[in-house]
């Protein structure tokens, strides 16, 4: 099973108001294991960079000014993701920006049926807990000491580890069922045991036992059963 874990950085919060995608980082996973294949790109947004956004990811217009526009690498991006499921933290946000950029290129949007949102997964797994990527890394003991600012590829790397934990850890890929059902062990009936019937033991007291009991009663002073 191939999945793409990804993250984006943008100029703001709303593509409908003119905000643009400036970075995307994608990591390939197969059967919950990172393969080492990645796609990473910076984009020139052809607009200014608000100070609040730059404070989050550190990407200035000066840095982005010589980077390609999204449409120049859109084909490469689409080829990398293929038809795989796409995993992101608060995925609706990232899908919104990607599809806005694809629309400006005259390309088909990525279907939201391919979207896996790790925030939604975390809400089910840890109801009432903090759901930020930092909080989940702390919960699962994932080292993020090298993360001083947001970065699409770095955040995707951290999210890949979080996603594995949210979906059951490394054991999820193990199978204890044989591939061929004919090879499964069948229950074996225990051999029937031959039972030997013995006559019931006599329960009446012997003459000697009765005499011993009568002698004992003679020693009891003022027995209650005589009152």
């Amino acid at each position: 099973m191939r999945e793409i874990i990804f993250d984006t950085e943008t100029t703001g919060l709303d593509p409908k108001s003119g905000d643009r995608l400036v970075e995307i980082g994608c990591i390939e996973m197969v059967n919950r294991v990172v393969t080492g294949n990645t796609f990473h790109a910076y984009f020139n947004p052809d607009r200014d960079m608000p100070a609040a956004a730059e404070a989050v990811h550190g990407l200035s217009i000066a840095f982005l000014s010589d980077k390609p526009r999204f449409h120049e690498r859109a084909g490469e991006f689409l080829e990398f993701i293929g038809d795989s499921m796409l995993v992101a933290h608060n995925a609706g946000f990232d899908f919104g920006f990607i599809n806005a950029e694809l629309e400006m290129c005259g390309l088909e949007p990525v279907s939201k049926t391919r979207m896996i949102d790790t925030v939604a997964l975390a809400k089910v797994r840890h109801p009432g807990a903090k759901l930020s990527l930092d909080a989940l890394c702390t919960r699962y003991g994932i080292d993020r000491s090298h993360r001083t600012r947001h970065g699409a590829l770095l955040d995707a790397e951290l999210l890949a580890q979080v996603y594995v934990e949210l979906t059951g850890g490394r054991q999820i890929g193990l199978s204890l069922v044989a591939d061929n059902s004919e090879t499964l062990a069948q229950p074996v009936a225990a051999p029937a045991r031959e039972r030997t019937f013995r006559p019931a033991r006599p329960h009446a007291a012997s003459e000697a036992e009765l005499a011993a009991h009568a002698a004992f009663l003679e020693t009891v002073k003022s027995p209650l059963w005589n009152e």
Side-chain angles (χ1 to χ4, degrees):
M1 180 176 60
R2 183 177 187 263
E3 296 168 300
I4 303 298
I5 318 300
F6 78 102
D7 185 54
T8 63
E9 300 298 339
T10 68
T11 64
L13 302 177
D14 187 4
K16 294 180 181 178
S17 65
D19 285 316
R20 299 292 301 275
L21 192 68
V22 294
E23 184 187 9
I24 188 166
C26 304
I27 292 178
E28 179 187 63
M29 294 186 77
V30 176
N31 295 331
R32 301 295 196 279
V33 177
V34 173
T35 66
N37 293 331
T38 64
F39 175 85
H40 180 229
Y42 294 107
F43 305 111
N44 184 340
D46 288 318
R47 55 152 291 168
D48 66 307
M49 178 67 71
E54 187 173 341
V56 172
H57 49 56
L59 302 176
S60 66
I61 289 301
F63 173 79
L64 296 169
S65 60
D66 63 346
K67 302 302 184 286
R69 275 69 176 176
F70 180 87
H71 70 85
E72 296 177 69
R73 300 200 65 183
E76 186 181 350
F77 165 69
L78 292 173
E79 182 179 359
F80 181 83
I81 66 173
D83 59 358
S84 301
M85 297 297 290
L86 303 173
V87 182
H89 203 60
N90 192 19
F93 175 88
D94 301 284
F95 266 68
F97 272 92
I98 287 175
N99 284 339
E101 295 288 346
L102 290 172
E103 184 179 355
M104 284 188 281
C105 298
L107 298 171
E108 289 292 321
V110 178
S111 172
K112 289 189 176 181
T113 60
R114 297 169 58 182
M115 180 174 76
I116 298 176
D117 184 4
T118 49
V119 170
L121 294 178
K123 282 182 180 179
V124 175
R125 190 78 180 269
H126 309 294
K130 293 182 179 179
L131 303 178
S132 68
L133 183 57
D134 281 339
L136 290 171
C137 284
T138 298
R139 174 180 287 274
Y140 291 122
I142 297 168
D143 180 22
R144 65 178 194 286
S145 58
H146 53 306
R147 184 187 189 234
T148 57
R149 280 182 172 172
H150 287 241
L153 190 60
L154 172 58
D155 285 2
E157 290 171 351
L158 293 174
L159 183 61
Q161 298 177 68
V162 167
Y163 179 57
V164 168
E165 298 297 334
L166 285 173
T167 52
R170 295 293 178 190
Q171 296 299 316
I172 194 170
L174 298 180
S175 174
L176 301 180
V177 180
D179 292 335
N180 187 345
S181 60
E182 294 181 359
T183 65
L184 295 178
Q186 298 298 320
V188 178
R193 296 177 59 185
E194 185 175 341
R195 301 179 62 183
T196 301
F197 291 93
R198 297 182 176 88
R201 292 182 299 171
H203 296 296
S206 65
E207 292 295 331
E209 291 171 333
L210 290 173
H213 179 64
F216 169 76
L217 294 179
E218 291 296 328
T219 65
V220 179
K221 296 180 179 180
S222 302
L224 293 176
W225 55 84
N226 288 338
E227 293 182 1

